[in-house]
């Protein structure tokens, strides 16, 4: 099941939580709200410049075909047993919320829509896999605030995001 982002955006986009299990941006549910996970590591500018040079110059000169990183058997077993959330920041950024937008409504199939601020939406998470399985009964996604204040009672059965 898909979750469209519509309303006061430059680009209406569609989210497909069923493929997020293969996305490298996913975060373990247990790690999403820990204080250690939110601390940023210090980035070495020289290392960053070196990596960019290698990507831009060396990789393009060699004309290598793109290779997908394969998943080991151990990683595959972990994927099928863990619960994962997806940060919404990249998706909301890609939709390009217009400057006159006020807030966002999470439309649910239970007809108890919830309105959240744009900041809460942008920094929030969607739970899309529980114990390695998609959310079939009360999904396709659950919304969690970044601070974890609703871990015990997330917003469930979300079928659409409307930017107001």
């Amino acid at each position: 099941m898909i979750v469209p982002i519509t309303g006061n955006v430059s680009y209406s986009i569609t989210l497909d939580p069923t493929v997020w299990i293969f996305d490298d941006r996913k975060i373990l549910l247990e790690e999403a709200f820990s204080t250690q996970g939110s601390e940023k590591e210090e980035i070495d500018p020289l290392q960053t410049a070196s990596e960019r040079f290698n990507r831009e110059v060396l990789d393009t000169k060699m004309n290598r075909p793109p290779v997908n990183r394969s998943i080991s058997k151990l990683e595959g077993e972990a994927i099928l047993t863990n619960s994962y959330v997806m940060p919404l920041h990249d998706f909301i950024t890609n939709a390009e919320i217009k400057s006159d937008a006020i807030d966002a409504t999470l439309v649910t199939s239970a007809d108890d829509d919830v309105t959240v601020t744009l900041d809460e939406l942008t920094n929030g998470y969607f739970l899309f896999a529980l114990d390695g399985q998609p959310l079939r009964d009360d999904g396709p996604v659950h919304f969690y605030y970044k601070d974890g204040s609703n871990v015990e009672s997330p917003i469930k059965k979300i079928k659409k995001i409307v930017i107001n």
Side-chain angles (χ1 to χ4, degrees), residues 33-58:
F33 307 110
S34 69
T35 54
Q36 294 174 349
S38 63
E39 294 177 5
K40 300 237 178 192
E41 293 181 14
E42 198 167 313
I43 299 172
D44 181 17
L46 183 60
Q47 181 180 359
T48 305
S50 172
E51 289 172 358
R52 182 174 178 191
F53 175 80
N54 288 339
R55 244 187 349 262
E56 297 291 330
V57 177
L58 297 179

PDB file of all heavy atoms in Angstrom, residues 33-58:
ATOM      1  N   PHE A  33      15.234   6.257  18.960  1.00  0.00           N
ATOM      2  CA  PHE A  33      14.952   7.223  20.018  1.00  0.00           C
ATOM      3  C   PHE A  33      16.022   7.254  21.092  1.00  0.00           C
ATOM      4  O   PHE A  33      15.863   7.911  22.105  1.00  0.00           O
ATOM      5  CB  PHE A  33      13.589   6.913  20.642  1.00  0.00           C
ATOM      6  CG  PHE A  33      12.505   6.828  19.610  1.00  0.00           C
ATOM      7  CD1 PHE A  33      11.920   5.612  19.295  1.00  0.00           C
ATOM      8  CD2 PHE A  33      12.099   7.953  18.910  1.00  0.00           C
ATOM      9  CE1 PHE A  33      10.941   5.532  18.326  1.00  0.00           C
ATOM     10  CE2 PHE A  33      11.125   7.881  17.941  1.00  0.00           C
ATOM     11  CZ  PHE A  33      10.543   6.666  17.645  1.00  0.00           C
ATOM     12  N   SER A  34      17.142   6.584  20.856  1.00  0.00           N
ATOM     13  CA  SER A  34      18.231   6.620  21.826  1.00  0.00           C
ATOM     14  C   SER A  34      19.024   7.907  21.644  1.00  0.00           C
ATOM     15  O   SER A  34      19.125   8.444  20.552  1.00  0.00           O
ATOM     16  CB  SER A  34      19.153   5.410  21.664  1.00  0.00           C
ATOM     17  OG  SER A  34      19.871   5.498  20.459  1.00  0.00           O
ATOM     18  N   THR A  35      19.615   8.400  22.699  1.00  0.00           N
ATOM     19  CA  THR A  35      20.380   9.644  22.616  1.00  0.00           C
ATOM     20  C   THR A  35      21.687   9.436  21.873  1.00  0.00           C
ATOM     21  O   THR A  35      22.203  10.350  21.252  1.00  0.00           O
ATOM     22  CB  THR A  35      20.685  10.201  24.018  1.00  0.00           C
ATOM     23  OG1 THR A  35      21.336   9.181  24.790  1.00  0.00           O
ATOM     24  CG2 THR A  35      19.410  10.623  24.713  1.00  0.00           C
ATOM     25  N   GLN A  36      22.232   8.215  21.908  1.00  0.00           N
ATOM     26  CA  GLN A  36      23.479   7.951  21.204  1.00  0.00           C
ATOM     27  C   GLN A  36      23.281   8.034  19.702  1.00  0.00           C
ATOM     28  O   GLN A  36      24.151   8.483  18.979  1.00  0.00           O
ATOM     29  CB  GLN A  36      24.018   6.565  21.558  1.00  0.00           C
ATOM     30  CG  GLN A  36      24.426   6.460  23.009  1.00  0.00           C
ATOM     31  CD  GLN A  36      24.810   5.039  23.358  1.00  0.00           C
ATOM     32  OE1 GLN A  36      24.590   4.109  22.591  1.00  0.00           O
ATOM     33  NE2 GLN A  36      25.378   4.868  24.535  1.00  0.00           N
ATOM     34  N   GLY A  37      22.145   7.598  19.190  1.00  0.00           N
ATOM     35  CA  GLY A  37      21.898   7.610  17.759  1.00  0.00           C
ATOM     36  C   GLY A  37      21.758   9.006  17.191  1.00  0.00           C
ATOM     37  O   GLY A  37      21.991   9.228  16.012  1.00  0.00           O
ATOM     38  N   SER A  38      21.378   9.966  18.038  1.00  0.00           N
ATOM     39  CA  SER A  38      21.166  11.321  17.538  1.00  0.00           C
ATOM     40  C   SER A  38      22.429  12.172  17.555  1.00  0.00           C
ATOM     41  O   SER A  38      22.457  13.245  16.983  1.00  0.00           O
ATOM     42  CB  SER A  38      20.061  12.010  18.342  1.00  0.00           C
ATOM     43  OG  SER A  38      20.471  12.139  19.685  1.00  0.00           O
ATOM     44  N   GLU A  39      23.474  11.695  18.253  1.00  0.00           N
ATOM     45  CA  GLU A  39      24.712  12.460  18.282  1.00  0.00           C
ATOM     46  C   GLU A  39      25.446  12.293  16.965  1.00  0.00           C
ATOM     47  O   GLU A  39      25.612  11.200  16.464  1.00  0.00           O
ATOM     48  CB  GLU A  39      25.598  11.978  19.436  1.00  0.00           C
ATOM     49  CG  GLU A  39      25.012  12.251  20.803  1.00  0.00           C
ATOM     50  CD  GLU A  39      25.883  11.686  21.910  1.00  0.00           C
ATOM     51  OE1 GLU A  39      26.971  11.166  21.609  1.00  0.00           O
ATOM     52  OE2 GLU A  39      25.458  11.764  23.066  1.00  0.00           O
ATOM     53  N   LYS A  40      25.896  13.397  16.406  1.00  0.00           N
ATOM     54  CA  LYS A  40      26.596  13.361  15.125  1.00  0.00           C
ATOM     55  C   LYS A  40      28.084  13.167  15.357  1.00  0.00           C
ATOM     56  O   LYS A  40      28.657  13.753  16.271  1.00  0.00           O
ATOM     57  CB  LYS A  40      26.369  14.667  14.368  1.00  0.00           C
ATOM     58  CG  LYS A  40      24.914  14.923  14.088  1.00  0.00           C
ATOM     59  CD  LYS A  40      24.710  15.091  12.651  1.00  0.00           C
ATOM     60  CE  LYS A  40      23.225  15.303  12.429  1.00  0.00           C
ATOM     61  NZ  LYS A  40      22.852  15.207  11.107  1.00  0.00           N
ATOM     62  N   GLU A  41      28.686  12.328  14.517  1.00  0.00           N
ATOM     63  CA  GLU A  41      30.118  12.152  14.588  1.00  0.00           C
ATOM     64  C   GLU A  41      30.791  13.337  13.907  1.00  0.00           C
ATOM     65  O   GLU A  41      30.259  13.917  12.970  1.00  0.00           O
ATOM     66  CB  GLU A  41      30.527  10.873  13.863  1.00  0.00           C
ATOM     67  CG  GLU A  41      30.046   9.611  14.525  1.00  0.00           C
ATOM     68  CD  GLU A  41      30.515   8.376  13.775  1.00  0.00           C
ATOM     69  OE1 GLU A  41      31.413   8.485  12.924  1.00  0.00           O
ATOM     70  OE2 GLU A  41      29.964   7.317  14.045  1.00  0.00           O
ATOM     71  N   GLU A  42      31.978  13.679  14.397  1.00  0.00           N
ATOM     72  CA  GLU A  42      32.717  14.763  13.791  1.00  0.00           C
ATOM     73  C   GLU A  42      33.250  14.305  12.438  1.00  0.00           C
ATOM     74  O   GLU A  42      33.844  13.242  12.316  1.00  0.00           O
ATOM     75  CB  GLU A  42      33.864  15.186  14.702  1.00  0.00           C
ATOM     76  CG  GLU A  42      34.391  16.538  14.378  1.00  0.00           C
ATOM     77  CD  GLU A  42      35.304  17.068  15.457  1.00  0.00           C
ATOM     78  OE1 GLU A  42      34.929  16.991  16.640  1.00  0.00           O
ATOM     79  OE2 GLU A  42      36.380  17.551  15.103  1.00  0.00           O
ATOM     80  N   ILE A  43      33.036  15.099  11.409  1.00  0.00           N
ATOM     81  CA  ILE A  43      33.418  14.734  10.050  1.00  0.00           C
ATOM     82  C   ILE A  43      34.722  15.429   9.684  1.00  0.00           C
ATOM     83  O   ILE A  43      34.856  16.643   9.856  1.00  0.00           O
ATOM     84  CB  ILE A  43      32.298  15.117   9.075  1.00  0.00           C
ATOM     85  CG1 ILE A  43      31.017  14.373   9.433  1.00  0.00           C
ATOM     86  CG2 ILE A  43      32.711  14.819   7.652  1.00  0.00           C
ATOM     87  CD1 ILE A  43      29.814  14.831   8.656  1.00  0.00           C
ATOM     88  N   ASP A  44      35.655  14.640   9.174  1.00  0.00           N
ATOM     89  CA  ASP A  44      36.939  15.165   8.753  1.00  0.00           C
ATOM     90  C   ASP A  44      36.790  15.745   7.345  1.00  0.00           C
ATOM     91  O   ASP A  44      36.475  15.018   6.404  1.00  0.00           O
ATOM     92  CB  ASP A  44      37.982  14.047   8.769  1.00  0.00           C
ATOM     93  CG  ASP A  44      39.361  14.520   8.355  1.00  0.00           C
ATOM     94  OD1 ASP A  44      39.596  15.744   8.358  1.00  0.00           O
ATOM     95  OD2 ASP A  44      40.212  13.663   8.042  1.00  0.00           O
ATOM     96  N   PRO A  45      36.992  17.046   7.156  1.00  0.00           N
ATOM     97  CA  PRO A  45      36.803  17.654   5.829  1.00  0.00           C
ATOM     98  C   PRO A  45      37.766  17.103   4.780  1.00  0.00           C
ATOM     99  O   PRO A  45      37.420  16.988   3.614  1.00  0.00           O
ATOM    100  CB  PRO A  45      37.017  19.143   6.050  1.00  0.00           C
ATOM    101  CG  PRO A  45      37.492  19.319   7.436  1.00  0.00           C
ATOM    102  CD  PRO A  45      37.328  18.028   8.164  1.00  0.00           C
ATOM    103  N   LEU A  46      38.968  16.728   5.184  1.00  0.00           N
ATOM    104  CA  LEU A  46      39.934  16.170   4.242  1.00  0.00           C
ATOM    105  C   LEU A  46      39.469  14.803   3.723  1.00  0.00           C
ATOM    106  O   LEU A  46      39.554  14.520   2.526  1.00  0.00           O
ATOM    107  CB  LEU A  46      41.311  16.040   4.902  1.00  0.00           C
ATOM    108  CG  LEU A  46      42.444  15.531   4.013  1.00  0.00           C
ATOM    109  CD1 LEU A  46      42.636  16.470   2.821  1.00  0.00           C
ATOM    110  CD2 LEU A  46      43.732  15.416   4.795  1.00  0.00           C
ATOM    111  N   GLN A  47      38.928  14.004   4.623  1.00  0.00           N
ATOM    112  CA  GLN A  47      38.420  12.686   4.216  1.00  0.00           C
ATOM    113  C   GLN A  47      37.212  12.845   3.289  1.00  0.00           C
ATOM    114  O   GLN A  47      37.075  12.137   2.300  1.00  0.00           O
ATOM    115  CB  GLN A  47      38.043  11.864   5.432  1.00  0.00           C
ATOM    116  CG  GLN A  47      37.531  10.480   5.077  1.00  0.00           C
ATOM    117  CD  GLN A  47      37.146   9.669   6.297  1.00  0.00           C
ATOM    118  OE1 GLN A  47      37.272  10.113   7.421  1.00  0.00           O
ATOM    119  NE2 GLN A  47      36.677   8.467   6.055  1.00  0.00           N
ATOM    120  N   THR A  48      36.338  13.778   3.588  1.00  0.00           N
ATOM    121  CA  THR A  48      35.175  14.033   2.753  1.00  0.00           C
ATOM    122  C   THR A  48      35.594  14.477   1.359  1.00  0.00           C
ATOM    123  O   THR A  48      35.049  13.997   0.356  1.00  0.00           O
ATOM    124  CB  THR A  48      34.282  15.113   3.392  1.00  0.00           C
ATOM    125  OG1 THR A  48      33.944  14.700   4.712  1.00  0.00           O
ATOM    126  CG2 THR A  48      33.016  15.334   2.587  1.00  0.00           C
ATOM    127  N   ALA A  49      36.566  15.366   1.273  1.00  0.00           N
ATOM    128  CA  ALA A  49      37.055  15.834  -0.027  1.00  0.00           C
ATOM    129  C   ALA A  49      37.700  14.697  -0.803  1.00  0.00           C
ATOM    130  O   ALA A  49      37.508  14.571  -2.024  1.00  0.00           O
ATOM    131  CB  ALA A  49      38.051  16.974   0.164  1.00  0.00           C
ATOM    132  N   SER A  50      38.428  13.846  -0.113  1.00  0.00           N
ATOM    133  CA  SER A  50      39.066  12.701  -0.750  1.00  0.00           C
ATOM    134  C   SER A  50      38.034  11.728  -1.320  1.00  0.00           C
ATOM    135  O   SER A  50      38.168  11.249  -2.447  1.00  0.00           O
ATOM    136  CB  SER A  50      39.962  11.984   0.259  1.00  0.00           C
ATOM    137  OG  SER A  50      40.449  10.786  -0.278  1.00  0.00           O
ATOM    138  N   GLU A  51      36.988  11.448  -0.541  1.00  0.00           N
ATOM    139  CA  GLU A  51      35.934  10.549  -1.012  1.00  0.00           C
ATOM    140  C   GLU A  51      35.209  11.135  -2.221  1.00  0.00           C
ATOM    141  O   GLU A  51      34.882  10.427  -3.162  1.00  0.00           O
ATOM    142  CB  GLU A  51      34.951  10.263   0.119  1.00  0.00           C
ATOM    143  CG  GLU A  51      35.534   9.385   1.202  1.00  0.00           C
ATOM    144  CD  GLU A  51      34.627   9.275   2.414  1.00  0.00           C
ATOM    145  OE1 GLU A  51      33.556   9.921   2.436  1.00  0.00           O
ATOM    146  OE2 GLU A  51      35.017   8.562   3.358  1.00  0.00           O
ATOM    147  N   ARG A  52      34.966  12.443  -2.177  1.00  0.00           N
ATOM    148  CA  ARG A  52      34.284  13.087  -3.307  1.00  0.00           C
ATOM    149  C   ARG A  52      35.154  13.034  -4.563  1.00  0.00           C
ATOM    150  O   ARG A  52      34.661  12.766  -5.656  1.00  0.00           O
ATOM    151  CB  ARG A  52      33.944  14.529  -2.967  1.00  0.00           C
ATOM    152  CG  ARG A  52      33.201  15.213  -4.065  1.00  0.00           C
ATOM    153  CD  ARG A  52      32.736  16.571  -3.698  1.00  0.00           C
ATOM    154  NE  ARG A  52      32.076  17.168  -4.843  1.00  0.00           N
ATOM    155  CZ  ARG A  52      31.737  18.412  -4.929  1.00  0.00           C
ATOM    156  NH1 ARG A  52      31.951  19.221  -3.941  1.00  0.00           N
ATOM    157  NH2 ARG A  52      31.161  18.865  -6.008  1.00  0.00           N
ATOM    158  N   PHE A  53      36.453  13.282  -4.408  1.00  0.00           N
ATOM    159  CA  PHE A  53      37.366  13.210  -5.543  1.00  0.00           C
ATOM    160  C   PHE A  53      37.341  11.806  -6.149  1.00  0.00           C
ATOM    161  O   PHE A  53      37.246  11.648  -7.362  1.00  0.00           O
ATOM    162  CB  PHE A  53      38.795  13.557  -5.098  1.00  0.00           C
ATOM    163  CG  PHE A  53      39.819  13.380  -6.180  1.00  0.00           C
ATOM    164  CD1 PHE A  53      39.992  14.352  -7.147  1.00  0.00           C
ATOM    165  CD2 PHE A  53      40.592  12.224  -6.256  1.00  0.00           C
ATOM    166  CE1 PHE A  53      40.924  14.193  -8.158  1.00  0.00           C
ATOM    167  CE2 PHE A  53      41.523  12.049  -7.257  1.00  0.00           C
ATOM    168  CZ  PHE A  53      41.696  13.038  -8.214  1.00  0.00           C
ATOM    169  N   ASN A  54      37.423  10.799  -5.297  1.00  0.00           N
ATOM    170  CA  ASN A  54      37.405   9.417  -5.790  1.00  0.00           C
ATOM    171  C   ASN A  54      36.122   9.114  -6.547  1.00  0.00           C
ATOM    172  O   ASN A  54      36.132   8.465  -7.586  1.00  0.00           O
ATOM    173  CB  ASN A  54      37.591   8.432  -4.640  1.00  0.00           C
ATOM    174  CG  ASN A  54      38.997   8.438  -4.107  1.00  0.00           C
ATOM    175  OD1 ASN A  54      39.932   8.854  -4.795  1.00  0.00           O
ATOM    176  ND2 ASN A  54      39.165   7.992  -2.867  1.00  0.00           N
ATOM    177  N   ARG A  55      35.013   9.578  -6.018  1.00  0.00           N
ATOM    178  CA  ARG A  55      33.723   9.336  -6.667  1.00  0.00           C
ATOM    179  C   ARG A  55      33.639  10.050  -8.011  1.00  0.00           C
ATOM    180  O   ARG A  55      33.226   9.477  -9.010  1.00  0.00           O
ATOM    181  CB  ARG A  55      32.598   9.841  -5.758  1.00  0.00           C
ATOM    182  CG  ARG A  55      31.676   8.783  -5.272  1.00  0.00           C
ATOM    183  CD  ARG A  55      30.462   9.304  -4.516  1.00  0.00           C
ATOM    184  NE  ARG A  55      30.419  10.687  -4.123  1.00  0.00           N
ATOM    185  CZ  ARG A  55      30.733  11.150  -2.921  1.00  0.00           C
ATOM    186  NH1 ARG A  55      31.132  10.333  -1.979  1.00  0.00           N
ATOM    187  NH2 ARG A  55      30.641  12.426  -2.646  1.00  0.00           N
ATOM    188  N   GLU A  56      33.997  11.321  -8.007  1.00  0.00           N
ATOM    189  CA  GLU A  56      33.835  12.150  -9.198  1.00  0.00           C
ATOM    190  C   GLU A  56      34.839  11.833 -10.297  1.00  0.00           C
ATOM    191  O   GLU A  56      34.498  11.801 -11.468  1.00  0.00           O
ATOM    192  CB  GLU A  56      33.939  13.643  -8.832  1.00  0.00           C
ATOM    193  CG  GLU A  56      32.872  14.130  -7.893  1.00  0.00           C
ATOM    194  CD  GLU A  56      31.508  14.164  -8.532  1.00  0.00           C
ATOM    195  OE1 GLU A  56      31.407  14.359  -9.753  1.00  0.00           O
ATOM    196  OE2 GLU A  56      30.526  13.980  -7.803  1.00  0.00           O
ATOM    197  N   VAL A  57      36.086  11.625  -9.942  1.00  0.00           N
ATOM    198  CA  VAL A  57      37.143  11.470 -10.941  1.00  0.00           C
ATOM    199  C   VAL A  57      37.445  10.016 -11.243  1.00  0.00           C
ATOM    200  O   VAL A  57      37.317   9.564 -12.381  1.00  0.00           O
ATOM    201  CB  VAL A  57      38.423  12.214 -10.496  1.00  0.00           C
ATOM    202  CG1 VAL A  57      39.537  11.991 -11.485  1.00  0.00           C
ATOM    203  CG2 VAL A  57      38.142  13.699 -10.355  1.00  0.00           C
ATOM    204  N   LEU A  58      37.821   9.294 -10.236  1.00  0.00           N
ATOM    205  CA  LEU A  58      38.266   7.925 -10.470  1.00  0.00           C
ATOM    206  C   LEU A  58      37.144   7.009 -10.950  1.00  0.00           C
ATOM    207  O   LEU A  58      37.312   6.258 -11.902  1.00  0.00           O
ATOM    208  CB  LEU A  58      38.913   7.356  -9.209  1.00  0.00           C
ATOM    209  CG  LEU A  58      40.186   8.065  -8.744  1.00  0.00           C
ATOM    210  CD1 LEU A  58      40.719   7.425  -7.484  1.00  0.00           C
ATOM    211  CD2 LEU A  58      41.245   8.030  -9.838  1.00  0.00           C
TER     212      LEU A  58
END
